[in-house]
Amino acid sequence: MMQVAHQCIVCGEARSAGIAICDQFICQACEQEMVKTDVDDAKYPFFIRQMKQIWFKMDA
Ligand SMILES: [Zn+2]
């Protein structure tokens, strides 16, 4: 399997493991972090903001 590094839109790191939605990429670490982040966690609004970049693109 080819290991291509993509830049994660959440942490900004270039990683090969993760999910790609449209042409946006979220690394595995951030994806798992998001899954376990509580709605009242301080980090939650940050994740939502980053995710909106994908939603806007999907809308277009
Ligand atoms: Zn990441």
Side-chain angles (χ1 to χ4, degrees):
M1 233 172 97
M2 228 167 58
Q3 291 287 297
V4 182
H6 301 276
Q7 193 184 15
C8 172
I9 63 148
V10 180
C11 65
E13 301 282 326
R15 298 189 196 271
S16 53
I19 50 161
I21 306 165
C22 294
D23 55 351
Q24 303 297 296
F25 177 80
I26 299 172
C27 75
Q28 206 168 49
C30 288
E31 190 211 335
Q32 270 158 27
E33 186 82 12
M34 269 193 276
V35 168
K36 66 178 187 201
T37 299
D38 213 71
V39 185
D40 19 280
D41 194 293
K43 277 186 294 190
Y44 197 79
F46 170 76
F47 285 136
I48 294 297
R49 207 174 57 215
Q50 299 305 98
M51 289 296 285
K52 273 186 180 160
Q53 293 179 49
I54 295 173
W55 295 331
F56 279 133
K57 289 215 171 190
M58 284 175 89
D59 239 28

